[in-house]
Amino acid sequence: MSDAGKPIIAVTGLKKHYPVRKGLLRRTVGQVFAVDGVSFSIGEGETLGLVGESGCGKSTVARAVMRLIEPTDGTITLEGQDITHLGKAELRPFRRQMQMIFQDPFSSLNPRMTAGDIVREPLLVHGVARGRAAEERTAALFEQVGLRPAQMRSFPHQFSGGQRQRVSIARAIALDPRLIIGDEPVSALDVSIQAQVINLLMDLQRQKRLSYLFIAHDLAVVEHISHRVAVMYLGKIVEYTDKTSLFLNPLHPYTEALLSAVPVPDPRLKRRRRVLEGDVPSPMKPPPGCAFHTRCPYAEARCRVEAPVLQEAAPGHFVSCHLHVAA
Amino acid sequence: MHSTEYDSELVKAGASAQGAFGQTAYFLRRYPLGAIGAVIMALFVLAALFADFITAYSPLSTDAALSLAAPSRAHWLGADYMGRDIYSRIVYGARISLAVGLGSTGLGCALGVVVGLVSGYLGGWVDLIAQRVMDILQALPLLVLALVMAAALGPSLWNTIFAISIPLIPAIARVIRSNTLALRELAFVEAAQAIGMSELRIAARHILPNTVAPLIVLATAQLGAAILTEASLSFLGLGIPEPHPSWGRMLSESAAEYIRTAPWLVIFPGLAISLVVFGTNLLGDALRDILDPRERG
């Protein structure tokens, strides 16, 4: 899992377990293994796509990396600095280095603030600029994300969904971060608008050498923007490789099923769909052995007992599956 | 996309440097009911301020000959059983009733908002303790509390305001807390945390402004209730001491005895209270809309 050059962010063994409490005494009766040992790193100017179905822990990874929630275990290293256990005040300078774009363009902007105030806020909080200078920087940010500076006076409800995401992006890049975490930033948008927002993100990446952790459940979107992709299932990364090998040569049966579900815009093309049976097991009681064995068409006796680990099956191609272990 | 429309909307709204006159004209056109409420409130406040100039009689001077006199040219709204001019008493009573109503509502809201915001936003043991204190406040009967305060400190305007504001605190705190709990989960609060904003600033900048609507509704409803509560406190001798006029007491001490024989003793103070409550409700509704950017087009 090495990158050319030093990674902007490196996450190792990240875990987030939520206790389940019941009864009058709030006794802990179990754990939800939302994220259970996730490791990845992202280099400068690189995009790592993180995919998986709802509830697999993608957003929890994003929030833990942003230190919006406390990870149960693991380390988060931002530009060589371990930020896993920093307190609020110590974390502040590092907040400038990483920012987040949220999924819901409606709840991610305060309805009572103007778009200009929303984008200006990070500048004021970090004392980067104030007064006239902050005003000018905000106007420049609006232009960078394809909005008109005149729109600074508008309130969020006066924007369309795509424009709201642009405001969110402007807020995220206001502090010139190194890393932007997008938690399904385009999932709530129309397909045509999705493309515009993704192209904007890619342009900004080129201009500013930004690194992205791009979370999505739509593989077509991920294929377009990512350099490398990590596939998550039930709190774990099951496959992790560069984009080309993932899409041309998926190794994990789960990835295979995900890819076969991507719609192809050609009605004549007949494809072999691999439809998964059953539901995702509860993250409170992950099945023993390989978490995917309950739905895997290739499951063997071994898969039910022994949990596979993420191993390099081909150069740079990591997979967590007994069927693909080199030796 | 809609920004050109919005700009013209702004011009219509008089927000773009058209001065106070343009803004007032826009307010009148857009919120006629709110304007009526504002006028009613302004009249009462002015009456309270300039009571000396708009009354011919002292509100305290008694005249046995005038006892229970019906409204006449000399005494527009009649006189009470002690022969005191009711019009003068209502005008002077505006001072006390408005001070008690606005004072206790304002104090109760201020404290309730702080408790609710802190309790809902910080959660954990702070929330637990704050909510139990609120339970205690709510369990304490107002009259007992007022009695203790009046006994310890003597009946006065300030003690009355304090006593009435206390049961308001838990009512407001509960509503603000539940709103805060819901708002805290929204992505814009997370975004503010991601920026590295302090908890206090998030609570003040992002949560508080979004709780204004229920706060205004509650506060305007409580204002009338506070004026009436003062009446019952004064009736028991725990509020504003006699002979100072307060609408609540004018109403409560005459309601049972004179409603048949001299109804003006009851009707006019009642009308004054109703008008103030009506005015605040109209004004409150308009304020709620004005403060919500979504209502501005």
Side-chain angles (χ1 to χ4, degrees):
Chain A
M1 278 180 241
S2 64
D3 303 294
K6 227 173 61 181
I8 294 292
I9 188 138
V11 172
T12 42
L14 185 71
K15 289 185 184 176
K16 179 64 192 179
H17 299 172
Y18 290 101
V20 179
R21 294 179 207 274
K22 273 210 177 111
L24 197 63
L25 297 171
R26 317 296 297 155
R27 264 184 313 148
T28 307
V29 294
Q31 300 269 336
V32 174
F33 300 92
V35 175
D36 202 20
V38 162
S39 305
F40 59 83
S41 66
I42 306 172
E44 188 183 21
E46 189 190 31
T47 302
L48 174 68
L50 188 59
V51 294
E53 52 200 307
S54 333
C56 74
K58 295 170 301 200
S59 297
T60 312
V61 169
R63 281 167 176 74
V65 172
M66 282 300 292
R67 287 289 314 277
L68 292 173
I69 53 177
E70 289 304 305
T72 312
D73 196 15
T75 54
I76 302 154
T77 314
L78 184 69
E79 291 198 284
Q81 267 272 358
D82 186 348
I83 60 160
T84 326
H85 303 290
L86 293 185
K88 273 209 172 81
E90 300 163 301
L91 202 59
R92 271 185 64 138
F94 293 97
R95 292 252 181 244
R96 291 184 61 169
Q97 304 299 317
M98 54 176 187
Q99 281 298 309
M100 190 158 174
I101 305 167
F102 296 87
Q103 173 177 7
D104 183 357
F106 289 87
S107 71
S108 60
L109 305 177
N110 185 342
R112 292 191 181 252
M113 284 168 77
T114 64
D117 283 338
I118 289 169
V119 173
R120 188 172 15 235
E121 196 158 46
L123 301 174
L124 302 179
V125 167
H126 283 271
V128 176
R130 52 181 64 247
R132 185 108 206 106
E135 186 78 15
E136 277 160 18
R137 280 195 59 161
T138 310
L141 285 163
F142 266 64
E143 274 169 354
Q144 279 183 50
V145 297
L147 295 169
R148 283 177 299 106
Q151 288 170 297
M152 283 162 62
R153 281 184 302 167
S154 303
F155 284 94
H157 71 276
Q158 292 162 320
F159 290 99
S160 67
Q163 287 175 318
R164 285 159 162 260
Q165 273 323 48
R166 286 174 193 267
V167 175
S168 264
I169 293 170
R171 170 175 63 190
I173 62 171
L175 293 168
D176 260 323
R178 308 294 303 135
L179 171 73
I180 288 185
I181 297 178
D183 184 9
E184 309 219 20
V186 295
S187 306
L189 305 176
D190 291 345
V191 178
S192 58
I193 311 292
Q194 283 192 358
Q196 291 174 14
V197 171
I198 285 177
N199 287 337
L200 169 65
L201 287 171
M202 292 173 79
D203 287 344
L204 290 170
Q205 179 167 51
R206 268 192 297 276
Q207 288 161 22
K208 296 172 179 278
R209 299 287 298 153
L210 284 168
S211 304
Y212 289 140
L213 173 60
F214 191 92
I215 296 171
H217 56 246
D218 181 345
L219 283 160
V221 167
V222 167
E223 185 178 13
H224 187 61
I225 194 170
S226 306
H227 300 103
R228 286 186 303 148
V229 181
V231 181
M232 268 186 89
Y233 185 77
L234 223 60
K236 289 192 170 80
I237 289 181
V238 295
E239 189 162 2
Y240 181 52
T241 183
D242 62 277
K243 171 173 74 181
T244 337
S245 31
L246 186 96
F247 282 89
L248 290 180
N249 182 27
L251 293 181
H252 199 280
Y254 178 61
T255 317
E256 206 176 282
L258 277 185
L259 287 178
S260 84
V262 175
V264 176
D266 183 352
R268 284 161 304 181
L269 196 70
K270 278 229 168 15
R271 292 182 312 147
R272 207 163 51 91
R273 282 285 304 273
R274 187 176 296 287
V275 179
L276 284 180
E277 305 265 321
D279 288 322
V280 186
S282 155
M284 245 184 96
K285 275 192 238 103
C290 173
F292 189 58
H293 84 253
T294 51
R295 302 166 81 194
C296 180
Y298 313 112
E300 299 167 353
R302 186 185 175 194
C303 304
R304 288 179 248 278
V305 226
E306 194 186 326
V309 287
L310 199 63
Q311 291 181 60
E312 197 162 10
H317 195 146
F318 294 82
V319 65
S320 157
C321 180
H322 291 310
L323 302 168
H324 294 287
V325 177
Chain B
M1 195 153 80
H2 307 294
S3 94
T4 40
E5 295 163 35
Y6 177 59
D7 288 343
S8 63
E9 191 71 28
L10 268 180
V11 173
K12 259 194 281 166
S16 55
Q18 283 196 358
F21 183 76
Q23 287 192 25
T24 314
Y26 175 75
F27 176 80
L28 287 176
R29 228 175 328 127
R30 180 87 199 254
Y31 304 101
L33 288 176
I36 294 173
V39 168
I40 293 175
M41 290 310 288
L43 282 178
F44 274 108
V45 170
L46 288 177
L49 288 176
F50 299 106
D52 300 339
F53 302 101
I54 56 171
T55 53
Y57 308 94
S58 155
L60 306 180
S61 67
T62 55
D63 185 346
L66 276 170
S67 181
L68 300 178
S72 62
R73 184 164 293 178
H75 298 277
W76 297 342
L77 305 182
D80 66 6
Y81 59 98
M82 291 175 88
R84 295 176 296 200
D85 181 50
I86 290 182
Y87 169 72
S88 302
R89 285 180 72 76
I90 284 179
V91 170
Y92 278 93
R95 287 185 175 173
I96 283 164
S97 290
L98 287 182
V100 168
L102 295 173
S104 60
T105 308
L107 191 66
C109 284
L111 293 173
V113 163
V114 170
V115 172
L117 210 56
V118 168
S119 179
Y121 190 68
L122 295 182
W125 60 268
V126 176
D127 183 34
L128 205 71
I129 293 172
Q131 288 311 303
R132 293 299 80 76
V133 173
M134 291 299 108
D135 284 346
I136 294 169
L137 283 187
Q138 227 166 18
L140 222 58
L142 167 70
L143 288 178
V144 173
L145 190 81
L147 193 68
V148 170
M149 284 185 71
L153 308 162
S156 78
L157 181 64
W158 273 109
N159 292 342
T160 311
I161 289 176
F162 272 130
I164 294 174
S165 72
I166 282 171
L168 244 174
I169 298 171
I172 302 270
R174 291 253 154 80
V175 172
I176 298 293
R177 173 178 174 267
S178 68
N179 262 282
T180 305
L181 285 176
L183 288 166
R184 189 177 69 168
E185 301 302 321
L186 292 183
F188 66 79
V189 173
E190 264 189 321
Q193 287 167 340
I195 287 166
M197 215 184 260
S198 68
E199 303 294 318
L200 199 70
R201 195 160 165 175
I202 294 176
R205 290 265 296 162
H206 290 279
I207 300 207
L208 185 60
N210 284 293
T211 60
V212 163
L215 183 65
I216 288 179
V217 173
L218 253 178
T220 46
Q222 289 298 334
L223 190 84
I227 292 175
L228 291 175
T229 307
E230 184 270 322
S232 41
L233 289 182
S234 299
F235 187 65
L236 294 172
L238 302 172
I240 314 300
E242 271 278 32
H244 300 290
S246 93
W247 298 343
R249 204 182 44 229
M250 290 168 73
L251 188 67
S252 60
E253 65 192 7
S254 52
E257 270 183 83
Y258 304 110
I259 181 77
R260 283 163 180 278
T261 49
W264 51 92
L265 261 65
V266 184
I267 290 170
F268 295 116
L271 212 57
I273 294 174
S274 310
L275 264 176
V276 165
V277 173
F278 182 60
T280 45
N281 277 304
L282 290 183
L283 190 63
D285 276 358
L287 267 181
R288 190 194 53 204
D289 289 349
I290 290 163
L291 292 173
D292 187 347
R294 277 162 295 200
E295 291 288 321
R296 274 184 249 156

